[in-house]
Amino acid sequence: LWMFYEDMREDLPACVRRIADFMGIPLTEELLAVTLEHSSFRFMRDRASQFDDHFVRNAGYAELKLKDEAGFT
């Protein structure tokens, strides 16, 4: 399934329905509403530490034997 950022910005509910259909997930109106809420910029901004890439970045630092943000290798 290919999705484009511009399409999601234009009509996120339609994109969520398309993703659910692709994954075979029954999408109720309640589930759609929760998904749209959790997909919002405001929701993610308010929980920024849950959506950053620190896990991936720190794993890369460890693999390359570089110091992470805390100064550990």
Side-chain angles (χ1 to χ4, degrees):
L1 176 66
W2 288 87
M3 302 294 298
F4 297 94
Y5 175 78
E6 294 82 4
D7 295 336
M8 289 189 265
R9 291 276 303 178
E10 185 175 315
D11 191 354
L12 185 57
C15 290
V16 170
R17 286 184 181 97
R18 186 172 169 215
I19 293 166
D21 184 58
F22 178 79
M23 296 179 70
I25 297 171
L27 188 63
T28 64
E29 288 303 312
E30 181 181 358
L31 180 55
L32 175 61
V34 169
T35 302
L36 293 174
E37 178 188 346
H38 288 196
S39 300
S40 72
F41 178 77
R42 173 186 244 169
F43 182 89
M44 289 188 265
R45 183 196 62 214
D46 292 346
R47 295 156 182 82
S49 66
Q50 296 174 6
F51 296 101
D52 67 17
D53 66 348
H54 66 281
F55 293 116
V56 174
R57 184 176 54 248
N58 289 344
Y61 286 153
E63 184 70 24
L64 297 171
K65 305 218 184 319
L66 300 173
K67 294 182 187 275
D68 64 14
E69 294 171 347
F72 300 105
T73 24

